[in-house]
Amino acid sequence: MQQLSGQDASFVYMETPSTPMHIGSVGIYDPSTAPGGFVRFKDILSFIESRLGGARSFRQRLVRVPFDLDHPYWIEDPDFDLEYHVRHIALPAPGDWRQLCIQVARLHSRPMDLTKPLWEFIIVEGLDKIEGLPKGCFALVAKVHHAAIDGMSGVEMSAAVHDLSPDKSNRFPQEEWKADGKPGIADLLIKGYFNALRQPQKYLETVARTVPGLARLASEVSKGELSIAGARTPPRTRFNGPVGAHRVFDGVPFPLADIRAIKEGVAGATVNDAILTIIGGALREYLSDKGELPNESLTAMAPISVRGEGEKTALGNLVSAMVVSLGTHIADPKARLEHIHKDAINSKGLTNAVGARTLTDYSQLIPSGLAGLGARLYTRLGAANAHAPVFNCVATNVPGSRVPLYFAGAKMLKMYGLGPVFDGMGLINTIYSYGDEIAISFTSDRDMMPDPQNYAAALKGSFAELRDAIVAPPAPKRKAKTKETA
């Protein structure tokens, strides 16, 4: 039995019927590479069953302490049922990209059952009218609760069900799995009592690490190495109010080589800087078309992993964050990239001065009952409208494989990501790289973004504008002169 950290537990407390707190992905696969050239659903079931030992999240469920007096625990689920977690549907004809996006959004809108292991795989067939895909492809829509997984720890679950070749040989030892008995109420309350006794010591340790960080921050600001001049409240947008129960989803892939060429246009710029510049340009166009573009720049929260070398497969979340300006007030795309690059360096410096891990540790100090009550009241009272936003959206980068991956023998062709939205933050951009592509996919509230195809088009337009401004287009070929004949 393993207790959730304060950060992991916060995603449980934030869960409401209109704010399910799971993350997800959409992988598209070509079954022609599998033995026999096709994959049946029962093959997928048996394949996943053989890989359950590859990730602890597969068979662990939550046990909550009465009245949330302490953070929940993970136990090995004695009632685990694989066929509850792996499902099978098909798109109606014609089966195009728009239909897939709508179906993915519907699936992502549905909260998960918190009394079962917190993951679902949905196989979606009928994709034959999606441009660029061979006939017979299927999608794997994955949902995993944020309490169990972050972008980096999700690698464990993904690695369990993917191979580097179509050969489906099991790479995990078939160890005997043992379910846990559900702990009694008295046991949970006693554990909570002793945890409460240790809490003052945790406060002192975290504060002791914070004081040197604050001194370091003050020193670097006074020397001019870091600036807090840009640390102002971001403007309110349509994405910064209470969210409803429905979602939208879409994604746009870009050639990774083009993104790398773009970042070379500004000394020291990163792929992340280039992606944020594309997002900033897209939001500028999208909000301008609606007459809602603020004069001040929008900002994005970018998660930062604080995992040590020994924590790569640790369950749950080990992340801090920085807030970066998106340069939506800048029309020139290259100038926007320069602005974002400079602001990202400063923002990361501010976070590192105090200590990203220290900032994460503060989430462990919030009393569990208070955290749950606060999250519920925040939603019920519509408090997102009563204060200025902390940031306007989220942009999270999940590094993927550079080499082809296979699921049950089927080759992965595309990968897109999804994330949760919640009151005050109704747009998350998930950046996922795979092979020679990097995709920007997004999840938003349907009332906030009723036209996701327009934001997808704005992402394409922003990319083209940035590429053309930095990467010189090839010179037109000159026609060869023909000799005049007598």
Side-chain angles (χ1 to χ4, degrees), residues 4 8 39 62 78 81 99 121 126 145 166 170 199 222 228 234 268 313 346 366 375 384 397 414 458:
L4 276 70
D8 293 344
V39 179
L62 286 175
D81 177 11
Q99 286 177 283
F121 285 174
H145 201 280
N170 188 9
Q199 198 72 349
S222 65
I228 58 173
T313 60
N346 186 72
I366 303 173
N397 194 337
K414 305 280 184 181

Side-chain angles (χ1 to χ4, degrees), residues 232-243:
R232 59 175 64 93
T233 302
R236 179 175 292 279
T237 72
R238 61 171 46 226
F239 303 115
N240 303 118
V243 300

Side-chain angles (χ1 to χ4, degrees), residues 287-333:
L287 293 176
S288 291
D289 288 346
K290 298 183 180 302
E292 299 175 5
L293 180 66
N295 293 326
E296 306 86 3
S297 176
L298 274 65
T299 63
M301 187 274 278
I304 303 172
S305 176
V306 294
R307 291 179 179 272
E309 282 302 315
E311 300 170 318
K312 296 298 183 184
T313 60
L315 198 67
N317 296 266
L318 287 170
V319 294
S320 183
M322 64 179 187
V323 177
V324 183
S325 168
L326 290 173
T328 53
H329 61 303
I330 301 173
D332 180 76

